Amino acid sequence: MSHTRVTLRDIAEAVGTSISTVSLALRDDARVSDKLRHSIQATAQELGYKVDLLGSMMRSNTPHVLGVVGRFDQELHTHYIRILGEAARERGYYVIAENAAAYDHMTDALKTLAQFRITTTIAINPSHEDHMDTLRNGPTVVIGQERVFPGADLMTSRNTSGAEELAAHLYALGHRSVAYFDGASGVSAQTRKQALERAFSGYNIRFDVFPAGATMDDGFTAASHLMADQWAQYRHAHQESTRGRLGEYSAIVGYNDQCVQGIAVALMGAGLRIPADVSLAGFDNSQVAQSSTFNLTSVDRGVEEIAALALDRAIERISTPELEAVTVGVDSHLVIRSSTARAYYLNTPAPTSATGGAGTNRNL
Amino acid sequence: MSHTRVTLRDIAEAVGTSISTVSLALRDDARVSDKLRHSIQATAQELGYKVDLLGSMMRSNTPHVLGVVGRFDQELHTHYIRILGEAARERGYYVIAENAAAYDHMTDALKTLAQFRITTTIAINPSHEDHMDTLRNGPTVVIGQERVFPGADLMTSRNTSGAEELAAHLYALGHRSVAYFDGASGVSAQTRKQALERAFSGYNIRFDVFPAGATMDDGFTAASHLMADQWAQYRHAHQESTRGRLGEYSAIVGYNDQCVQGIAVALMGAGLRIPADVSLAGFDNSQVAQSSTFNLTSVDRGVEEIAALALDRAIERISTPELEAVTVGVDSHLVIRSSTARAYYLNTPAPTSATGGAGTNRNL
DNA sequence: GTGAAAGCGCTAACAT
DNA sequence: ATGTTAGCGCTTTCAC
């Protein structure tokens, strides 16, 4: 009942053995006899012993502590961080997470971890702009699209499978002309765009790319512009209002769910219904997508699987740091929700009202 | 150029002095002569020395490392975490953050920190349900509404000022009947509701409370129900549709911005315009509120100020742990954006053109 | 199988 | 003003 923490020495004294034996016994080392080990573990339990990770890390060259760096302001990242933390703990490991959003450069977050002697690290979505290749000790495992550090493993999500499923889904619903709201420049956006272009061209679906970005506001702004453009064009061409429809497009795909969220709000604010007037789909299968408020059809990028692979590999590298760097791809899969439906022109025409008349010129 | 880290010994050898002198010099201890100190610091810089925090924490009883626990899935929490981290680093401190969302109980997150010998901690919005009072070492400083640990300081946001400003704002805009979407049961929601009730009654504004919750989906669901109820009532009473308005209420206040976001989507989906038909206001001044997509009028709860106070106090308690627990309240303030406007019945009626007023004239 | 001893890098008490 | 020594709690040789 002392105020100070319980140490190995306390257990050793209680059991009547040595500190080193206790240390071995607690880590289930076979050298300690069963009987003594049980006695030691029971006493440890009883005294409420918890290993002092500082002492452990000071001495050990295979510490049970991993680092994770990611941006705490991005849901996908904190999702990874939570899963990694939970899974690590189940396996007797600890992870400490550093917030890349609190540093000018993600490399600085890694340097802070290094000050805690944490050298086995998982970096979430770093880019080449972070210049991690200049680091002496870069990340051990990278979750993302680019191998930013020569020696790091890369766990990556394959866009192809998800893009294919999405194209097939929209095709089956009768969509033949889709607007894609692209992410900001970068490898991630680039590869996704190309996967989508390939998939949609396979179904002969027109696939027009518009610059947007990764945030809700990016989607909102881009969607507002698209509506204005489309309506201006159609008013000019047909001398009539097309409010209530989105010109040539019956569906919009966004770079990610955040972007799609902004698109959805812009459309709804203009009086368009989702999915009756426009179908919407995104990437990441995030909380927004899963919410009943938006309920977005979205491509799940296999977060759980990627996290498990990254953790496995990081743990493996604690004891064997010299493994050669591998790249592992995980298939993405479409999750269908209520934001996608049959293209509006396939439905029984709405009763002609003051705002109606849109979609009449559609050639299927 | 060695592969191993630079230690105090390396510097000592390079300069030709002792390890302990280097240790003192690097911490600007006055006992070391200016000349030697400069020489040591220059060499340290040159060799790229960074203190090994494990070694430091092992020995020191006033370590420069703080802990923060909060939920990484809540924007307000990660906002606190980022600010605390940046501010701490500026002052030469380090913070390691634990994700309460990855544990069954927030107390377990504190126990993990304890294993890293981190005993000076800031807990973000813990509740009595976390039973921190059963902990030997509870948090040092609490950011939230309840003192969950006897010895902890409490940094709290005062609802009164923000509620008063909000009531005044809505009154000035002509609103006389407001719906409030309450948070889930708990001290935080309770105190906010009471502050709002008092403020609105001061302006003789009708203030009806509806149960909702803290999430977007909570707001969405509650708003959908409210619209259904209101329209059913009005149709019955007046034999006419009231679509386009929200029955007896010209404004809705939500427990927080997330909730309001759900409300906004529900309203827009039903063809109501914000703020033309309904004004909307929330709490927290979160990213959602600041976004151009939603641009919500919201009560800023003084996050920056609270974080600064919490950090000050935590640092103070590193060297003086026995300070008596204090409670500090920070005034909240209304941030006016475009989701609030004059009550709809004060505006000139909208022209009855076919295309006028996007989305209002939806025939469903 | 078990214990004694060394030492990770640092800070703090104690010498000079 | 500087150096010497001790030791934080742990893991890891290395003896026995």
Side-chain angles (χ1 to χ4, degrees), chain B residues 324-354:
Chain B
E324 73 173 82
V326 298
T327 298
V328 182
V330 170
D331 278 345
S332 55
H333 290 292
L334 188 69
V335 178
I336 297 171
R337 296 203 181 80
S338 65
S339 68
T340 45
R342 281 162 60 88
Y344 66 87
Y345 44 75
L346 295 182
N347 292 322
T348 51
T352 46
S353 99

Side-chain angles (χ1 to χ4, degrees), chain B residues 216-275:
Chain B
M216 178 173 72
D217 282 349
D218 290 333
F220 181 81
T221 305
S224 302
H225 287 156
L226 180 63
M227 285 187 291
D229 286 355
Q230 289 290 314
W231 290 340
Q233 275 182 36
Y234 266 60
R235 262 197 297 276
H236 184 262
H238 305 290
Q239 306 295 336
E240 65 182 45
S241 168
T242 58
R243 293 223 165 199
R245 304 292 187 225
L246 185 56
E248 10 186 358
Y249 307 105
S250 62
I252 303 180
V253 174
Y255 169 69
N256 65 13
D257 292 331
Q258 302 304 316
C259 177
V260 171
Q261 185 182 6
I263 299 170
V265 173
L267 298 183
M268 290 171 70
L272 271 63
R273 294 163 306 175
I274 300 160

